[in-house]
Amino acid sequence: MLETLSQILASESPRASITVRGWVRTKRDSKSCSFLELTDGSCFKGLQGVVDAGLPCAELLPRILTGTSVEVVGALIDSPAPGQKWEVQVHDLKILGEADASYPLQKKGHTPEFLRTIAHLRPRTNLFGSVFRVRSKMAFAVHRFFQERGFFHVHTPIITSSDCEGAGEMFRVTTQKPNVPTKPEEDFFGRPTYLTVSGQLQGEAFACALGNIYTFGPTFRAENSNTARHAAEFWMIEPEMAFYDLFADMTLAEENVRYLVQAMMSECPDELEFFNKFVDKALISRLQQTLDKPFERISYSEAVELLLKSGRSFEHPVVWGEGLQTEHERFLAEEHVQGPVTIYNYPKAIKPFYMRQNDDERTVAAMDLLVPGIGEIIGGSQREERLDRLTTAMNAQGLDEETYRWYVDLRRYGSVPHAGYGMGFERLLMFVTGVSNIRDVVAFARTPGHAPY
Ligand code: 4AD
Ligand code: MG
């Protein structure tokens, strides 16, 4: 494998010869030499190359502009410049690919909104390079968290015939031609199929066989929510645990968030410092607090009381039995608790059919974990494991018995109490980076009216 800049920068002592392959961020000329700021994307830091004006390769310098890709051979030496340990005294230089003055990333300080229009080039900026290095580290940490606890990774289907959330916000998958009337049974799968909104239902089948499992994959929602927290295609982490009740579920969710925050703090220090300086000045202190302070838990009914007593005039009125709006969630997390908080036991009428009914007959064993700045980052529940209760709830919500027969079978044969949750991976990334728009933590974002690339 070729050596990356991140490996070169980890060198303990000077080296007579190294090779750097990367892109030129900036070039500065003085009388006797030129300075090239080189990056290869493997780490936050770059490496300064010093090219002596007397070298034969110096004649290439006029053709080297911002964005040019180069291969540089030279000696790794202690840098006299402040803020950097190493620099490379260039011996030889090759241009791999030129970039002319039309290269859009000439200067720093482009807005994220502009950079969204060049999503194919923005990973080369400090901000997006950092976001996507963190995204990769966090994805690996997600697997580590569950694998260290003995969970099995299950690959649930992307194409499905069941609507897990029952909200009908699904993208249809079909080979039928538009404007040619055909019956669903003549379609590719012989029935209507969709992109999955959640791997939960299939995850439950595996939890009721392997015990503790998780899925981590893309999910799709055709909801017309043009907000900074909603994407039509996003990744979800969904653990499902046999024999867990709601409280064990909440404990795991809290541990999960803490573990990932800890991973961010210890594995991405350069990116964290950058985000704290240029994206959100309260980031490090907020993440540190997340590790130091226990998460709070408040029942939905208590939360409604708190909101009513707050004296706030919310845009959406607070009424027991209605869903909590973002403004309510943010009040609870940012002002009341000033940290992560889990709200649990929601009204039955606003939640999907699979949630376990509580003895009070009006609430279900649901939970949402809210964090400051974002609101809901996790939604989960204990599942209804009692056959009669489940079928009653399904009938009440008008679900097709045939489609969900397999799901009901899980209650017919060796049913066990079980619970799980879904963590929005992008919302987690927003929380650990301070980036405030979901479009900026997705490589190529899909939102209503927007799917280039
Ligand atoms: O609350 P949700 O809809 O829950 C489920 O889908 C359950 N089946 C999960 C489970 O119990 N296994 O979604 C879970 C999380 C939300 O808390 C949020 O973080 C994220 O997924 N999410 C979205 N993220 C980005 N864009 C969207 N449109 C999202 N919708 C949900
Ligand atoms: Mg939810």
Side-chain angles (χ1 to χ4, degrees), residues 113-133:
E113 289 76 15
F114 168 72
L115 292 170
R116 263 173 231 153
T117 67
I118 47 167
H120 56 298
L121 295 175
R122 68 177 183 169
R124 299 188 197 184
T125 63
N126 274 333
L127 174 62
F128 289 96
S130 297
V131 164
F132 293 109
R133 278 188 299 274

Side-chain angles (χ1 to χ4, degrees), residues 381-446:
S381 69
Q382 186 172 340
R383 317 308 187 190
E384 185 55 83
E385 86 284 11
R386 297 162 295 187
L387 181 63
D388 54 332
R389 300 286 189 123
L390 180 67
T391 47
T392 307
M394 286 172 60
N395 289 335
Q397 297 192 16
L399 298 186
D400 174 40
E401 260 178 58
E402 237 352 272
T403 305
Y404 294 90
R405 182 177 291 277
W406 67 271
Y407 184 73
V408 176
D409 263 359
L410 303 174
R411 280 70 181 167
R412 203 170 273 131
Y413 306 120
S415 188
V416 293
H418 60 289
Y421 59 82
M423 178 191 293
F425 187 47
E426 284 77 12
R427 300 232 179 131
L428 169 86
L429 291 172
M430 292 166 72
F431 184 57
V432 299
T433 59
V435 168
S436 58
N437 196 307
I438 196 164
R439 292 163 182 78
D440 296 334
V441 295
V442 180
F444 298 99
R446 274 83 183 86

Side-chain angles (χ1 to χ4, degrees), residues 147-334:
Q147 297 284 337
E148 282 172 356
R149 284 159 183 75
F151 283 59
F152 297 104
H153 184 200
V154 176
H155 299 104
T156 49
I158 306 288
I159 300 174
T160 179
S161 51
S162 42
D163 179 0
C164 174
E165 294 307 292
E169 291 165 339
M170 304 206 291
F171 291 102
R172 185 74 192 276
V173 175
T174 179
T175 52
Q176 294 184 339
K177 307 268 178 306
N179 308 324
V180 180
T182 29
K183 303 195 180 84
E185 54 272 25
E186 293 163 357
D187 202 351
F188 188 88
F189 295 105
R191 63 199 312 177
T193 47
Y194 311 89
L195 294 176
T196 187
V197 296
S198 159
Q200 177 198 323
L201 302 187
Q202 294 90 349
E204 284 185 53
F206 274 75
C208 294
L210 306 187
N212 296 331
I213 65 96
Y214 69 105
T215 74
F216 182 13
T219 47
F220 307 85
R221 305 251 167 129
E223 55 188 328
N224 199 3
S225 307
N226 233 322
T227 79
R229 315 178 308 142
H230 289 88
E233 175 177 325
F234 62 99
W235 281 57
M236 212 194 319
I237 299 139
E238 295 185 271
E240 192 68 34
M241 296 75 65
F243 316 111
Y244 272 48
D245 66 6
L246 181 69
F247 291 90
D249 196 34
M250 293 198 277
T251 304
L252 186 73
E254 292 166 356
E255 250 185 74
N256 198 175
V257 172
R258 276 230 183 74
Y259 183 96
L260 295 172
V261 168
Q262 180 60 58
M264 174 71 192
M265 305 271 276
S266 54
E267 293 169 39
C268 309
D270 293 339
E271 284 80 5
L272 184 63
E273 200 187 307
F274 172 79
F275 293 134
N276 196 67
K277 209 160 159 189
F278 294 106
V279 175
D280 177 356
K281 295 207 160 33
L283 178 65
I284 293 180
S285 69
R286 195 165 58 243
L287 294 182
Q288 191 57 51
Q289 256 201 358
T290 306
L291 297 179
D292 296 344
K293 235 175 78 178
F295 289 17
E296 291 206 24
R297 294 176 186 177
I298 303 176
S299 74
Y300 168 88
S301 299
E302 286 172 75
V304 167
E305 298 255 302
L306 285 167
L307 290 164
L308 289 172
K309 278 196 302 205
S310 70
R312 287 303 163 88
S313 61
F314 293 108
E315 197 184 315
H316 303 86
V318 179
V319 183
W320 197 102
E322 306 254 323
L324 298 178
Q325 301 295 323
T326 302
E327 55 175 343
H328 306 141
E329 295 182 342
R330 293 191 60 167
F331 171 82
L332 292 167
E334 284 159 34

